[in-house]
């Protein structure tokens, strides 16, 4: 399976910074790219919190668990550049039905 990870940081003003130049006030944003085959399970469950849509559980053997790039508690901000809805079941269904390249902004 193909995958890659790109880490960037943004300040409240939206200015891009090098991750090595971040201070404690910077918000870290990770972009996780992966390739999901048709019918392949990502192996995650999601929940809604006051912070947004959060990874509640990572299932052993799923694509996400095998790659080890995401953790329980990670907040999914965007999928393929589109902001996620505030309904975890809708996001979960959309991810399940999607195949090919996925870019998750965490």
């Amino acid at each position: 399976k193909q995958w890659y990870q790109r880490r960037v940081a943004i300040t409240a003003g939206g200015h891009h910074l090098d991750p090595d130049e971040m201070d404690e006030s910077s918000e870290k944003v990770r972009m996780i790219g992966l390739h999901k085959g048709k019918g392949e399970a990502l192996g995650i469950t999601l929940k809604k919190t006051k912070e947004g849509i959060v990874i509640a559980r990572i299932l052993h053997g799923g694509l996400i668990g095998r790659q080890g790039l995401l953790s329980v508690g990670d907040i999914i901000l965007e999928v393929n550049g589109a902001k996620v809805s505030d309904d975890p079941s809708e996001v979960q269904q959309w991810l399940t039905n999607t195949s090919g390249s996925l870019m998750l902004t965490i």
Side-chain angles (χ1 to χ4, degrees):
K1 301 290 179 202
Q2 297 176 347
W3 62 270
Y4 59 93
Q5 178 177 5
R6 187 177 86 173
R7 199 180 83 187
V8 297
I10 57 172
T11 63
H15 303 287
H16 292 275
L17 300 173
D18 184 299
D20 297 326
E21 297 175 0
M22 295 185 307
D23 62 22
E24 295 301 316
S25 66
S26 298
E27 179 182 347
K28 295 179 185 178
V29 174
R30 292 181 296 145
M31 298 176 83
I32 308 295
L34 51 97
H35 183 81
K36 179 179 173 287
K38 186 173 183 171
E40 183 176 21
L42 286 178
I44 58 173
T45 60
L46 305 173
K47 67 179 179 180
K48 181 179 177 180
T49 68
K50 64 181 179 178
E51 288 84 19
I53 300 299
V54 174
I55 297 176
R57 189 169 48 149
I58 297 175
L59 306 173
H60 179 73
L63 180 62
I64 299 298
R66 290 192 313 267
Q67 292 186 346
L69 296 175
L70 298 173
S71 301
V72 170
D74 281 345
I75 301 167
I76 299 177
L77 304 171
E78 295 179 350
V79 177
N80 290 343
K83 187 175 177 177
V84 298
S85 86
D86 62 354
D87 180 355
S89 61
E90 183 179 311
V91 175
Q92 188 107 28
Q93 188 64 42
W94 189 82
L95 289 170
T96 298
N97 293 336
T98 300
S99 61
S101 295
L102 281 175
M103 176 66 72
L104 304 177
T105 303
I106 307 296

